[in-house]
Amino acid sequence: MTIINLNDGNSVLNQFVAEIRDKDIQKNHMRFRRNLERIGEIFAYEISRRLNYKTAEVTTPLGISECRLLADDIVLATILRAGLPLHNGLLNYFDKAQNAFIAAYRKYGKDNKFDIKLEYITSPSTEGKVLILADTMLATGASLVLAYERLIEKGEPIHTHIVCPIACSSGVEYLSKTLPHKNVTFWTCAVDEELTNKSYIVPGLGDAGDLAFGDKL
């Protein structure tokens, strides 16, 4: 698995990441969602530089122009609900992509231990396509691997890009061991070192779903 951390270089992305982490700016749900959307747009642009293109003729009012257009078929997949703003950002750039949605959650038992429950998935065929799987945060990596495994039941992608703006180093390590394939690229812009006993990332940013859409019961 190839790992790309966009935080290795300086760009306006750093500002957006700082704002989704800031506990005061987070109080504005609309701004939090918009920042995640903008982060998704930046990831989409960076991913687009690694895709395949074809030359096509485009007729202008004054003549013919040869343009390079995206050749790959793309499936954008996200884990509900926290991944939705990020998904929208990716979709703003890959506007012809097909879309997949996965409902996954943690079911806690004793001693803060939990199982990952995946109860719903809707997806087109992923056979021979580029799969982009997005979630706002990567903690243990368990839910993301489960989602990936369910998605590739729909067909073998030619390449998979996994997008998680905020990640934990242990989750990245888990993905590297579980998804060692050469045709998987992991994209992030922050790797934190600590997980709490409830598997929350520190410093992280809190609960992305609640910050985007309000508290849940």
Side-chain angles (χ1 to χ4, degrees):
M1 184 178 79
T2 302
I3 300 171
I4 300 176
N5 186 348
L6 295 184
N7 194 44
D8 289 341
N10 291 322
S11 74
V12 71
L13 176 64
N14 299 343
Q15 178 69 33
F16 302 152
V17 173
E19 291 191 5
I20 63 171
R21 287 189 189 264
D22 189 298
K23 65 182 181 64
D24 293 321
I25 298 176
Q26 286 179 346
K27 295 174 183 177
N28 186 330
H29 295 311
M30 184 175 69
R31 187 174 183 87
F32 184 83
R33 292 193 302 270
R34 180 60 185 132
N35 277 328
L36 280 179
E37 186 177 18
R38 293 194 288 187
I39 289 170
E41 290 170 347
I42 291 173
F43 276 116
Y45 172 77
E46 293 294 338
I47 291 171
S48 75
R49 299 170 65 188
R50 295 170 176 261
L51 301 179
N52 296 306
Y53 289 79
K54 59 186 177 182
T55 301
E57 291 187 345
V58 174
T59 302
T60 80
L62 299 177
I64 303 295
S65 174
E66 285 195 350
C67 300
R68 298 176 65 193
L69 304 179
L70 190 63
D72 291 320
D73 292 323
I74 296 174
V75 175
L76 295 180
T78 196
I79 299 177
L80 302 174
R81 64 181 170 145
L84 284 174
L86 185 66
H87 181 94
N88 285 340
L90 291 159
L91 188 58
N92 286 345
Y93 280 31
F94 298 123
D95 50 1
K96 295 182 180 180
Q98 295 178 289
N99 294 268
F101 299 96
I102 305 113
Y105 66 95
R106 297 176 178 182
K107 185 173 182 179
Y108 283 91
K110 296 180 179 179
D111 301 324
N112 292 322
K113 294 182 179 180
F114 61 86
D115 294 320
I116 300 297
K117 298 294 183 180
L118 196 158
E119 294 188 346
Y120 173 82
I121 179 171
T122 176
S123 175
S125 169
T126 52
E127 182 68 33
K129 300 175 183 178
V130 173
L131 173 63
I132 302 176
L133 173 56
D135 197 10
T136 301
M137 304 179 75
L138 176 76
T140 66
S143 60
L144 198 141
V145 168
L146 182 60
Y148 170 80
E149 290 174 346
R150 288 291 299 275
L151 284 165
I152 63 173
E153 291 175 3
K154 308 294 184 180
E156 188 68 29
I158 59 172
H159 198 94
T160 298
H161 296 274
I162 298 173
V163 178
C164 294
I166 306 294
C168 181
S169 57
S170 58
V172 175
E173 182 179 358
Y174 178 72
L175 288 191
S176 297
K177 293 179 178 178
T178 310
L179 307 176
H181 317 294
K182 292 182 179 179
N183 64 339
V184 176
T185 302
F186 177 76
W187 297 80
T188 189
C189 49
V191 179
D192 296 340
E193 295 299 324
E194 183 181 346
L195 280 180
T196 69
N197 61 351
K198 289 188 176 182
S199 295
Y200 290 118
I201 303 173
V202 179
L205 51 76
D207 189 303
D210 289 358
L211 292 168
F213 300 110
D215 295 341
K216 58 185 176 292
L217 293 176

